[in-house]
Amino acid sequence: MFDHGPVHRPYYAMPALFSATDPRPVVAAFQALSHACATYAEHVDTLLAATRAEFGIPE
């Protein structure tokens, strides 16, 4: 799903920091999560499961 080939994954995390500063909390959260999903690449399911567990979101 997020297979962008041989890319240095930590660079994908940088936009999440800038997105998190958006003054609109919902926009900041969703944009940061989107960038985090790209960073996690093939492990995105683990990230999303942890996010659901943390916020009590049912599967």
Side-chain angles (χ1 to χ4, degrees), residues 3-41:
D3 184 16
H4 299 292
V7 176
H8 189 61
R9 292 284 169 206
Y11 290 132
Y12 274 73
M14 289 302 296
L17 297 174
F18 297 109
S19 293
T21 64
D22 193 295
R24 301 163 295 177
V26 172
V27 172
F30 279 106
Q31 285 182 351
L33 181 61
S34 174
H35 293 302
C37 286
T39 303
Y40 266 68

Side-chain angles (χ1 to χ4, degrees), residues 26-55:
V26 172
V27 172
F30 279 106
Q31 285 182 351
L33 181 61
S34 174
H35 293 302
C37 286
T39 303
Y40 266 68
E42 66 272 2
H43 304 290
V44 71
D45 293 334
T46 305
L47 171 67
L48 294 177
T51 303
R52 283 191 295 272
E54 180 69 26
F55 293 101

